[in-house]
Amino acid sequence: MSRTYSHLFGFRIFAGSMDELLARIGEMAAQEMAASITFVTANRLIKAHFFKKQAALLNSATLLIPQGRGITWVARRFAEPLTTFFSPADVSMNVLRGAIEHKQTLFFLGSRPDTILQAVTTLRKSFPEMRIVGSYHGHFKPERGEDIVSAIRKSAPSFLFVGMGFPKQENWIIQNQKAMPSTIAISVGNTFDLCAGITTRGPLWLRRRGLEGLSKAFRNPLRMGRFFWIIVLVFTVFWHKIFKKHRRK
């Protein structure tokens, strides 16, 4: 059994394997507890270290899951190693399979109207036993917000997959979690787009190395600005290590 959590910049991040993660999520679902699960990349971690609003997003989550190779590098530098890293799509599909096995229900929220419909259609073909109790796109007008929350509350799904992109999806969960007392809300990023075939994942060799973000950056040059924060992260990590070492002396 691996260590359960690592602590990086004051944030408690899950440090186990996929099987241990699914077991933990399964325990929460069996207890019918309200919970929120989000993914933390190296980029999000360093921003949360410097900015209170970003920190609040991570602190609000019941469970923080490491995403990408960068955060495993940080964990090793602080002697808080992570067993592995995860992708929202992989975790989502595993949770979905577990929900089918335990006859638990799901609600999907996010992406564009046509995309979410295509994602649900595709998933129903692949998983005909899936018990989906509702879905709605993520481009709704503010006046529709209460109706959507009401629909989720009435259907009381075991799992709510929210795919609006970071940090919109996390903010939405924070604002509405009290209305979902027995639902586990999971931030799933672009998982619906992947299910619908609107976008594709990076090459397998990049995914295995936790570098899938590189392929996304090359497809969308606007994401290149994130590399600035990686430089800030590296500098901050070594500054912390040098400062703490000097202080111990």
Side-chain angles (χ1 to χ4, degrees):
M1 180 74 70
S2 65
R3 69 189 310 168
T4 307
Y5 296 98
S6 291
H7 294 82
L8 305 176
F9 291 125
F11 300 100
R12 192 178 76 155
I13 300 171
F14 183 79
S17 65
M18 177 66 85
D19 287 342
E20 291 169 328
L21 174 61
L22 296 176
R24 177 68 186 117
I25 295 174
E27 290 171 1
M28 292 191 292
Q31 296 170 10
E32 297 185 351
M33 64 180 292
S36 62
I37 298 173
T38 194
F39 292 80
V40 55
T41 62
N43 189 293
R44 296 169 189 173
L45 181 68
I46 191 61
K47 288 183 179 179
H49 178 60
F50 286 110
F51 303 113
K52 290 183 179 180
K53 287 186 177 180
Q54 296 281 344
L57 292 179
L58 300 188
N59 284 325
S60 68
T62 308
L63 190 62
L64 288 175
I65 303 178
Q67 178 183 351
R69 177 68 69 181
I71 197 166
T72 62
W73 178 85
V74 177
R76 288 196 302 272
R77 300 288 81 75
F78 287 118
E80 293 272 347
L82 302 169
T83 301
T84 187
F85 50 84
F86 304 84
S87 76
D90 290 338
V91 173
S92 300
M93 290 302 100
N94 278 305
V95 170
L96 189 151
R97 294 185 183 95
I100 293 173
E101 180 182 353
H102 294 94
K103 302 186 184 305
Q104 294 163 330
T105 55
L106 304 112
F107 195 111
F108 299 152
L109 175 64
S111 204
R112 296 183 178 278
D114 55 339
T115 302
I116 191 66
L117 287 175
Q118 182 58 49
V120 170
T121 299
T122 301
L123 288 170
R124 284 192 186 279
K125 290 180 179 178
S126 300
F127 305 98
E129 297 179 358
M130 178 180 65
R131 300 178 64 187
I132 178 171
V133 294
S135 66
Y136 206 84
H137 63 83
H139 292 260
F140 54 86
K141 295 180 179 180
E143 55 266 27
R144 289 287 293 151
E146 290 187 8
D147 293 336
I148 294 170
V149 173
S150 178
I152 296 171
R153 182 175 60 249
K154 290 179 180 178
S155 60
S158 303
F159 297 100
L160 169 66
F161 289 2
V162 185
M164 301 179 184
F166 183 90
K168 183 178 179 180
Q169 59 198 9
E170 283 76 15
N171 280 320
W172 188 92
I173 292 172
I174 291 172
Q175 293 168 8
N176 298 286
Q177 190 167 19
K178 289 183 179 179
M180 305 177 289
S182 60
T183 295
I184 298 175
I186 305 177
S187 300
V188 300
N190 70 338
T191 297
F192 298 136
D193 292 358
L194 292 169
C195 292
I198 301 301
T199 187
T200 58
R201 300 187 64 177
L204 183 60
W205 65 272
L206 276 180
R207 285 152 50 188
R208 286 176 172 172
R209 291 165 175 78
L211 300 174
E212 191 172 2
L214 288 177
S215 63
K216 294 179 181 179
F218 285 121
R219 287 198 299 265
N220 182 4
L222 292 177
R223 298 173 66 98
M224 289 295 185
R226 300 185 180 191
F227 290 111
F228 165 77
W229 287 104
I230 298 300
I231 296 172
V232 174
L233 174 67
V234 172
F235 174 82
T236 304
V237 167
F238 282 111
W239 185 88
H240 270 262
K241 288 180 67 66
I242 293 171
F243 176 75
K244 288 183 178 180
K245 183 177 181 181
H246 176 74
R247 185 170 57 184
R248 284 196 298 268
K249 290 181 179 179

